[in-house]
Amino acid sequence: MAKLFWIAVALIGAFAVGGIALHRGETINAMWIVVAAVCVYAIGYRFYSAWVAAKVLCVDANRATPAIRLNNGRDFVPTHRWIVFGHHFAAIAGPGPLIGPTLAAQFGYLPGTLWILVGAVLGGCVQDMTILFLSTRRNGRSLGQMARDELGPIGGYAAIIGTLVIMVILIAVLGLVVVNAMKHSPWATSTVFATIPIAVLVGLYLRNIRPGRVLEGSVIGVALLLAAVVGGGLLNEHETLRAYFDLDGKALAAFVIGYGFIAAVLPVWLLLAPRDYLSTFLKLGTVLLLAFAVILMRPDLKMPAVTQFIDGTGPIFGGSLFPFVFITVACGAISGFHALVSSGTTPKLIGNETDVRLIGYGSMMLESCVAIMAMIAATLLDPGVYFAINSAPGVVGATAEAAVTTISSWGFPVTVEQMHALAAEMGESTLFARTGGAPSLAVGMASIFSSAFGQSMLALWYHFAIMFEAVFILTTLDAGTRVGRFMVQDVLGHFSKRLGETSSYPSILLSSGLVVAGWGYFLYIGVVDPNGGINILWPLFGIANQLLAGIALCVATGILIKQGQMRYAWVTGVPLLWLAIITTTATWEKIVSSDPRIGFLASADSLAGKLASGALSPEQAAVAPQLIFNQRLDAVLAIVLTLILWIVIADTLRVARRVKLGLPVLPTSEAPATPAEARA
Amino acid sequence: MSALVRSFWDFVRELATDNAYERYLTHHREAHANVAPLTRRAFYLKEQQRKWSGVQRCC
């Protein structure tokens, strides 16, 4: 009976995947994608994850986990697997899987969707589960420590440098997404600003009034956030007040940078922790609501399966389908960042080794599901509208008329009137050139929500979606800056003992300042870049993120080989090889491509040529030297990142060769086996 | 029915870490009975400090 059930799931899944791949009509119903996704995840979880856990990792239900052996009632606590699942999912789910698929939709709905499904089931979920398991076997050691212990110092340093670089690029690109969503939008800006005092109020409540009552504090906070969305709408009607919040990109970037610095040096209970509680509640609530609304409404997707932009001429980011769809989707399929969480708090909570399947593999499956919903929300828009929102003025033309003419000439008809009507419905003055993915996702979400729960509230839903995205983007920004700060303090500690103390104020100010200056620089350049900045920063972020995943998979593959599992090394080795191919190809194209839309150096040279010949307007000429320098810096950065990956791969191969030849390697850092007496 | 609601509520409380202090007290009584436990507020602040010293949030 069970066999028949799984055969049916496989057949339905194959039919749905075939349906979305071969469909070539005007529109396709989103349910095709939903059904395909559910079947692919179900089969991946039931069969592949079970096989990997049993045969490759040799998960042992009778071996005591660190939570049991080292139970201290605080960080090491055996916890019910669904609770750990919730915490782990809340930790790994960030804005990445919402933004990546939205941008990748420029290739059509099909390429991104297929990679989200295949990449997650065979790559991302396997990575998360494997690293979680290996860290659990090593008392919850971090990825960097495991790299050092098992491969050697090279792997360890590479992991640390990779983490720091990805953090800087990630925060810059997320900052840019928020800035673009708030630019000249008093409603969005005032709502996002209001989230800060609301978080502080909740922080004070949780510390002074009712210590540790997180549910109460969060319910109050979420109610205030919803009130802020409504309040922003009222403010938007008021001529004088709205002018205060009608800010341009540079001013908002300065605000985000200042905010990031302050948030990193304030005590966590005041801003970071309460903001995170609110963002987690909103995140879980909105994801459930979106899934519910998609299934209730079953919207038609208007984007073609595949667009002409697979040739690399896309307006949102330059570069052909291979390798850029993989680089762009990033977190929705494989995210190196997850390896840091999987080797952090989570392994210390696991009560039984068999739980790694649900927690590691299952959480990533859900994350991938979020990416699928973002893809649906992006592709249900009229393609013309989607491109009008997401294309930078440098690409489609600075005026609304120029933009609609360019976009319509691609075969995606859109009119100025249509865009104005849409903007008016959403309570915005314009939606043109709101690059970064967040606004188009918000328009998509608003149209699903309003058709499911009331048409009249489009503007409210739109700003709710913007607020929702901004809240957890800012949480990632705070938390990331703090992690970066600790890493910088760790490095500074090698030079001066005082600067290495995490609680010393001069050290906090200096290290936070360095981290904020790092991402603030890229954010500022992204804001002044007439091509939108996203087209530079997102691929760079994608490369950095996939690089970190590559390092994690190297550690996993190296350990599997050392444990005598050479014949199963392909389980992590094949995803590793694939990541190495896509990141290297992407870096290669970003360096050598002669198309200024793709190549960093070509772009720098083209701009330098225009500057020298006087072809630029005075304001363009003023920022040109910065943009030229930045593109060259990006080229260097991309090369460094890819070199780091190859160095770690070489180091892993060295270890593999020594194992094969029977030469000595570093001893395993696994904690000795003790039988589990008590089950959590 | 009430048992179901009860266990769901416990689940939500644990997910939100609302019951972290009670759990700490239980553990503390078993492991360090001779030392006075932290107050609820001190425990909350210490936990936040610990929680946010590592990678807690992803992209």
Side-chain angles (χ1 to χ4, degrees):
Chain A
M1 194 59 210
K3 249 186 203 159
L4 277 180
F5 172 77
W6 285 108
I7 290 172
V9 171
L11 285 176
I12 296 169
F15 180 69
V17 172
I20 57 173
L22 301 175
H23 182 88
R24 288 293 176 275
E26 281 283 287
T27 61
I28 182 170
N29 196 277
M31 286 314 281
W32 283 88
I33 292 182
V34 172
V35 171
V38 168
C39 294
V40 169
Y41 295 141
I43 289 175
Y45 186 78
R46 169 63 186 82
F47 296 102
Y48 192 50
S49 83
W51 180 80
V52 171
K55 294 284 174 195
V56 183
L57 305 179
C58 305
V59 164
D60 180 357
N62 295 315
R63 183 164 165 149
T65 59
I68 297 205
R69 282 184 285 110
L70 308 173
N71 186 352
N72 61 3
R74 300 174 69 108
D75 48 348
F76 287 95
V77 186
T79 309
H80 190 276
R81 61 176 185 276
W82 282 105
I83 303 278
V84 189
F85 176 87
H87 285 172
H88 186 74
F89 175 69
I92 64 168
L98 295 175
I99 297 168
T102 307
L103 302 179
Q106 82 163 354
F107 292 130
Y109 66 80
L110 185 61
T113 301
L114 289 182
W115 176 238
I116 291 169
L117 296 179
V118 175
V121 168
L122 299 180
C125 297
V126 174
Q127 173 207 255
D128 289 17
M129 173 169 75
T130 308
I131 295 295
L132 177 61
F133 172 74
L134 295 177
S135 177
T136 306
R137 278 274 170 101
R138 284 161 184 75
N139 292 346
R141 289 213 185 149
S142 71
L143 180 68
Q145 281 172 318
M146 289 198 288
R148 227 173 7 238
D149 293 344
E150 297 280 350
L151 298 179
I154 295 177
Y157 284 120
I160 292 171
I161 298 173
T163 314
L164 198 57
V165 172
I166 180 183
M167 205 78 86
V168 166
I169 304 282
L170 165 73
I171 300 175
V173 75
L174 291 181
L176 187 55
V177 170
V178 191
V179 166
N180 285 347
M182 297 195 292
K183 201 162 56 182
H184 294 298
S185 166
W187 190 340
T189 308
S190 58
T191 307
V192 174
F193 278 24
T195 63
I196 298 166
I198 292 173
V200 169
L201 272 179
V202 174
L204 290 168
Y205 182 89
L206 288 176
R207 177 179 182 263
N208 296 345
I209 303 175
R210 297 268 290 160
R213 265 74 165 205
V214 175
L215 278 174
E216 287 169 24
S218 303
V219 169
I220 296 172
V222 169
L224 288 173
L225 286 178
L226 296 179
V229 175
V230 179
L234 298 176
L235 179 140
N236 195 32
E237 314 270 294
H238 194 287
E239 276 311 311
T240 357
L241 279 179
R242 82 187 294 279
Y244 287 115
F245 292 95
D246 191 349
L247 302 171
D248 66 359
K250 275 190 202 172
L252 289 166
F255 159 75
V256 171
I257 292 169
Y259 166 78
F261 180 76
I262 292 170
V265 300
L266 282 181
V268 281
W269 63 264
L270 186 59
L271 185 54
L272 178 54
R275 172 190 280 294
D276 178 66
Y277 285 124
L278 299 182
S279 97
T280 307
F281 271 83
L282 276 182
K283 181 158 59 188
L284 296 178
T286 310
V287 165
L288 287 175
L289 199 63
L290 190 58
F292 179 71
V294 164
I295 291 168
L296 189 73
M297 295 318 297
R298 298 182 295 278
D300 279 331
L301 306 185
K302 303 200 183 90
M303 182 69 80
V306 178
T307 67
Q308 66 267 41
F309 300 127
I310 53 173
D311 64 0
T313 55
I316 300 173
F317 56 90
S320 50
L321 183 68
F322 177 86
F324 286 99
V325 71
F326 308 103
I327 295 292
T328 309
V329 166
C331 320
I334 303 182
S335 174
F337 226 107
H338 296 183
L340 302 179
V341 175
S342 300
S343 62
T345 325
T346 312
K348 299 173 184 164
L349 300 173
I350 287 180
N352 189 293
E353 281 191 359
T354 52
D355 296 349
V356 296
R357 222 180 118 202
L358 173 71
I359 298 158
Y361 201 95
S363 296
M364 179 61 209
M365 245 166 51
L366 192 56
E367 164 110 328
S368 161
C369 204
V370 173
I372 288 286
M373 284 193 288
M375 179 60 92
I376 291 175
T379 50
L380 63 82
L381 300 177
D382 272 325
V385 169
Y386 166 84
F387 284 110
I389 299 175
N390 283 303
S391 303
V395 183
V396 290
T399 62
E401 287 72 20
V404 295
T405 313
T406 317
I407 294 166
S408 299
S409 76
W410 294 328
F412 302 117
V414 61
T415 61
V416 177
E417 294 73 40
Q418 190 185 355
M419 288 302 290
H420 279 324
L422 186 69
E425 275 183 334
M426 299 294 164
E428 289 289 319
S429 52
T430 177
L431 287 171
F432 278 108
R434 289 207 175 271
T435 60
S440 76
L441 178 65
V443 172
M445 279 167 66
S447 30
I448 302 184
F449 284 153
S450 61
S451 56
F453 313 111
Q455 194 68 45
S456 59
M457 306 204 297
L458 248 145
L460 275 178
W461 281 118
Y462 173 82
H463 288 94
F464 168 78
I466 291 283
M467 183 272 292
F468 147 78
E469 292 172 271
V471 163
F472 70 105
I473 283 180
L474 291 179
T475 309
T476 305
L477 192 137
D478 300 358
T481 305
R482 257 183 93 79
V483 170
R485 182 193 114 190
F486 288 126
M487 297 172 81
V488 170
Q489 281 181 316
D490 195 38
V491 174
L492 290 178
H494 291 293
F495 302 104
S496 142
K497 200 158 182 302
R498 180 115 193 275
L499 288 179
E501 286 168 18
T502 47
S503 53
S504 130
Y505 238 77
S507 163
I508 292 178
L509 293 178
L510 176 67
S511 50
S512 305
L514 284 174
V515 176
V516 173
W519 61 256
Y521 163 77
F522 287 104
L523 169 57
Y524 172 78
I525 296 287
V527 168
V528 297
D529 187 343
N531 288 330
I534 290 286
N535 63 328
I536 292 180
L537 279 175
W538 192 264
L540 207 53
F541 160 69
I543 291 174
N545 186 12
Q546 303 297 293
L547 156 105
L548 198 56
I551 293 176
L553 289 167
C554 276
V555 173
T557 311
I559 295 179
L560 286 181
I561 291 174
K562 282 172 68 180
Q563 289 176 342
Q565 293 281 56
M566 185 76 93
R567 67 199 171 114
Y568 292 136
W570 59 265
V571 169
T572 49
V574 170
L576 169 62
L577 181 68
W578 179 247
L579 290 187
I581 293 172
I582 58 166
T583 47
T584 310
T585 321
T587 304
W588 178 257
E589 290 192 13
K590 289 305 249 181
I591 306 301
V592 303
S593 171
S594 55
D595 179 352
R597 294 266 302 121
I598 303 171
F600 289 135
L601 297 176
S603 175
D605 292 345
S606 136
L607 197 58
K610 281 186 199 158
L611 183 64
S613 65
L616 297 175
S617 68
E619 54 279 17
Q620 284 172 324
V623 292
Q626 289 170 322
L627 296 179
I628 294 167
F629 170 76
N630 181 55
Q631 297 261 18
R632 293 191 173 135
L633 177 69
D634 292 338
V636 174
L637 213 54
I639 294 174
V640 169
L641 286 172
T642 307
L643 277 181
I644 290 178
L645 178 59
W646 281 103
I647 290 171
V648 182
I649 292 177
D651 205 29
T652 310
L653 289 175
R654 177 186 65 84
V655 172
R657 184 180 149 271
R658 292 182 72 87
V659 171
K660 189 124 208 235
L661 296 177
L663 296 168
V665 287
L666 288 171
T668 176
S669 55
E670 205 170 74
T674 21
E677 287 152 28
R679 288 280 310 264
Chain B
M1 186 60 200
S2 78
L4 199 70
V5 173
R6 180 84 223 162
S7 69
F8 178 74
W9 177 239
D10 287 344
F11 178 79
V12 172
R13 266 175 55 86
E14 188 165 352
L15 202 58
T17 64
D18 252 27
N19 65 352
Y21 185 63
E22 284 90 8
R23 286 163 55 116
Y24 159 77
L25 284 184
T26 315
H27 174 84
H28 193 89
R29 265 196 302 274
E30 286 166 13
H32 324 277
N34 49 348
V35 190
L38 296 173
T39 63
R40 191 181 267 274
R41 186 208 264 197
F43 173 77
Y44 174 74
L45 293 178
K46 206 165 169 184
E47 277 297 276
Q48 294 304 336
Q49 204 59 44
R50 178 182 67 72
K51 183 175 170 190
W52 292 104
S53 296
V55 179
Q56 276 290 335
R57 287 296 173 263
C58 268
C59 33

